[in-house]
Amino acid sequence: MNRALRDALLLLALTAAALALHGYHLGVDDQVIYLPAIKKNLDPGLYPFDAIFFLSQTRLTLFDEMAAWFTHSFGFSLEWTMFALYLATTYLSLAACLALARRCFSSSVAHWAAVTMICAVLPLHATGTLVPMQDRYLHPRGLATAAILFAVTAVLDRKPRALAWLAFAGVLHPQMAFFGVMHIGVLVVLQVRMPLRAALFAQLPAWEPANPAWRDVMLTRIHHYPLKWPWYEWLGVAFPMVPLWLFARSAQQRGEAARALVCRAFFLSGCLGIATAIAVSTVPQFERFVPIQFMRVLHLIYWIFFLMLGGWLGERFLGRSALRWALCFGLIAAPVVYGYSFYYGKSPHIEWSGRVPRHAWLEAFDWIRHNTPRDALFAVDPMYLERPRADYHGFRALAERSMLADYGKDRGVVGLFPELAYEWRQEYEDQRRWREFTAEDFRALKRKYGVSWVLLEKPGVPGLTCPYQNEELMVCRVE
């Protein structure tokens, strides 16, 4: 068997292992933004009232157009397309890790130990940033991460294809591409032995001052301000940074130039990102840079750290002993799998396409999608994403109907686009007393915004006609 075929089969096996270990979900978390955008590409008549809350963010990326094109061109359902692209993302990410491991380690054992380590820890969040190494659903950040890792390998090979990989990352997820350029820029500087100078934060261009409504929103998003993080989040900053510095020193002493270069570059770019994050979150004239979330520089550092750790373990301890591999990666994967199993704890571990939902919120979303007018405007508890049994499944993404602004994801979009702040705040304030609402309060929303339906948790509100109920929820008309 030639090496290319063997590599492909092993990577497919690890992709399947990642799916079995960590699961797969649809319409959750950031897909609250991306999935409606894809559906609107496929059917422009959807979301006539509220598309601005997700299209404002997705207009910066071609991801939604790409997913819609795949769906339309290959004739699969959107759900199967999303699942296939998720598997492709995982496969490409692991392939990129294998390519990079081969530049940094000499033995085949170390190469595959590095990739297996990544497979074991994929859901792990980069401390304080709310960003996992790879989401358990299709996200453009996953494909962009794979592209950046391929770009790192291309830079080590001194190949111009690194620019193509970075451009691909840029059209998928501009923020990830920005951090990729930061990391790779430092790598190039070190590779060509240019003097490395710190950025002068005072020279950052000042944007137009933000409006007060936007500032109010940002004050609720503590993860944007690293100096407000609890102490244990800062331990998570040191967790990859200190070992990377030690790996760089050790590799330099052993004459392993590529490994030393990568570790040193990511350590330095991490320091630069952390310093920039502190500066822009504390100096008032730079407040409009806060939504860039410079601490997300740690996301790719986690990838590099675990890749280096896996390769080092393979080189020093694992060898070709199947028992050592099983014990090592079993002990590493077990707490990760267990710890993240509660995040979508009420949902199936793998949400297969076409499977009849057995989840009260998903059942309600499914009924709404098939039984309410396409131009209906819903009011839903603005905190619904945080309800324990909703499991972060998005209303727009799965019910395919417009809704008034929520507190979770729409607030995040406002952080990026201050011009939406006043509209978001008005809609949220009009729903803030949701738990105390009467039928007359819902009629007031109908008069002001045109709300025609509401999704309520039981026991509901007297005075409304509710054609659908399940064990937890009611779908009611506002007349």
Side-chain angles (χ1 to χ4, degrees):
M1 184 184 298
N2 64 46
R3 192 175 84 164
L5 179 58
R6 184 201 62 185
D7 288 352
L9 291 175
L10 288 173
L11 288 170
L12 283 172
L14 286 172
T15 299
L19 176 66
L21 283 172
H22 307 307
Y24 167 77
H25 300 275
L26 180 70
V28 297
D29 284 323
D30 281 357
Q31 277 192 357
V32 170
I33 302 295
Y34 292 105
L35 192 51
I38 297 168
K39 291 185 175 184
K40 192 162 181 66
N41 269 283
L42 292 168
D43 184 353
L46 291 175
Y47 314 108
F49 300 106
D50 58 343
I52 191 171
F53 279 113
F54 54 85
L55 293 183
S56 294
Q57 181 165 332
T58 59
R59 72 187 181 197
L60 303 177
T61 171
L62 295 180
F63 171 75
D64 51 316
E65 290 89 347
M66 181 191 75
W69 180 84
F70 270 103
T71 303
H72 180 75
S73 299
F74 292 96
F76 298 129
S77 68
L78 176 57
E79 290 77 11
W80 278 115
T81 300
M82 299 288 280
F83 181 62
L85 289 174
Y86 172 77
L87 294 179
T89 297
T90 305
Y91 180 92
L92 289 173
S93 298
L94 296 177
C97 289
L98 178 61
L100 183 53
R102 283 184 167 148
R103 303 308 186 278
C104 297
F105 298 93
S106 57
S107 74
S108 177
V109 169
H111 303 159
W112 289 103
V115 179
T116 304
M117 173 66 79
I118 293 294
C119 179
V121 300
L122 279 175
L124 197 67
H125 282 63
T127 185
T129 64
L130 306 183
V131 177
M133 289 176 58
Q134 180 174 290
D135 298 276
R136 290 179 285 172
Y137 56 91
L138 181 64
H139 193 298
R141 181 168 51 233
L143 282 169
T145 298
I148 293 166
L149 291 171
F150 277 123
V152 171
T153 301
V155 168
L156 293 177
D157 294 341
R158 297 178 181 267
K159 299 293 185 181
R161 64 175 180 269
L163 295 175
W165 283 118
L166 285 174
F168 182 58
V171 301
L172 290 172
H173 198 288
Q175 185 190 52
M176 280 299 304
F178 172 81
F179 290 121
V181 169
M182 178 185 292
H183 290 300
I184 289 174
V186 174
L187 180 63
V188 170
V189 167
L190 294 179
Q191 191 175 39
V192 300
R193 301 183 184 278
M194 291 170 56
L196 184 64
R197 296 182 176 88
L200 298 176
F201 302 121
Q203 293 181 357
L204 285 172
W207 290 3
E208 181 181 346
N211 60 65
W214 179 83
R215 290 194 183 96
D216 291 342
V217 169
M218 294 305 294
L219 289 175
T220 68
R221 299 181 67 76
I222 301 300
H223 61 282
H224 284 57
Y225 298 90
L227 293 184
K228 296 181 180 180
W229 289 4
W231 63 269
Y232 53 83
E233 299 285 13
W234 279 97
L235 287 181
V237 174
F239 171 67
M241 293 292 288
V242 173
L244 273 184
W245 177 71
L246 294 173
F247 283 146
R249 287 192 60 187
S250 173
Q252 188 71 39
Q253 292 167 359
R254 293 161 58 92
E256 295 156 339
R259 194 192 314 180
L261 179 63
V262 171
C263 291
R264 186 180 173 211
F266 275 80
F267 173 78
L268 291 173
S269 57
C271 291
L272 177 62
I274 293 166
T276 306
I278 293 172
V280 301
S281 63
T282 55
V283 179
Q285 57 264 42
F286 298 145
E287 65 177 349
R288 283 289 285 111
F289 291 95
V290 171
I292 295 175
Q293 300 180 66
F294 282 93
M295 290 301 286
R296 290 193 173 185
V297 73
L298 293 168
H299 174 257
L300 283 163
I301 287 173
Y302 268 63
W303 278 84
I304 297 299
F305 162 66
F306 279 110
L307 185 144
M308 294 298 172
L309 178 61
W312 180 79
L313 287 172
E315 211 173 44
R316 297 293 184 88
F317 299 106
L318 300 181
R320 298 185 180 278
S321 168
L323 178 60
R324 290 180 187 175
W325 277 65
L327 286 174
C328 176
F329 292 115
L331 290 173
I332 290 169
V336 175
V337 171
Y338 178 76
Y340 287 95
S341 65
F342 299 100
Y343 200 71
Y344 305 115
K346 307 300 180 184
S347 304
H349 183 61
I350 299 175
E351 295 186 37
W352 299 104
S353 175
R355 183 174 180 176
V356 177
R358 299 190 179 186
H359 179 298
W361 287 81
L362 299 186
E363 289 173 354
F365 293 163
D366 188 65
W367 187 90
I368 290 167
R369 185 170 66 252
H370 290 101
N371 295 279
T372 61
R374 285 160 47 86
D375 61 352
L377 176 59
F378 272 76
V380 184
D381 182 350
M383 307 293 289
Y384 81 99
L385 281 171
E386 299 178 10
R387 299 299 294 160
R389 297 186 63 83
D391 271 356
Y392 302 98
H393 286 82
F395 177 87
R396 292 190 191 104
L398 299 173
E400 298 181 1
R401 295 295 180 266
S402 293
M403 62 177 286
L404 296 184
D406 69 21
Y407 185 74
K409 293 302 177 180
D410 292 343
R411 178 176 55 120
V413 174
V414 170
L416 295 172
F417 302 98
E419 64 273 16
L420 299 177
Y422 288 112
E423 181 178 349
W424 175 86
R425 186 170 68 177
Q426 185 63 62
E427 291 187 15
Y428 172 66
E429 288 295 332
D430 286 339
Q431 301 174 87
R432 183 188 287 272
R433 296 174 38 256
W434 182 269
R435 300 284 172 187
E436 305 166 14
F437 268 22
T438 64
E440 183 53 38
D441 292 309
F442 290 121
R443 294 187 186 103
L445 293 180
K446 181 180 179 69
R447 290 191 294 270
K448 185 169 184 178
Y449 297 107
V451 169
S452 50
W453 293 79
V454 293
L455 176 63
L456 302 173
E457 292 182 81
K458 284 189 171 180
V461 173
L464 297 177
T465 303
C466 303
Y468 173 82
Q469 299 185 35
N470 60 33
E471 65 270 23
E472 294 182 32
L473 300 168
M474 309 169 70
V475 180
C476 306
R477 293 191 189 91
V478 182
E479 298 169 329

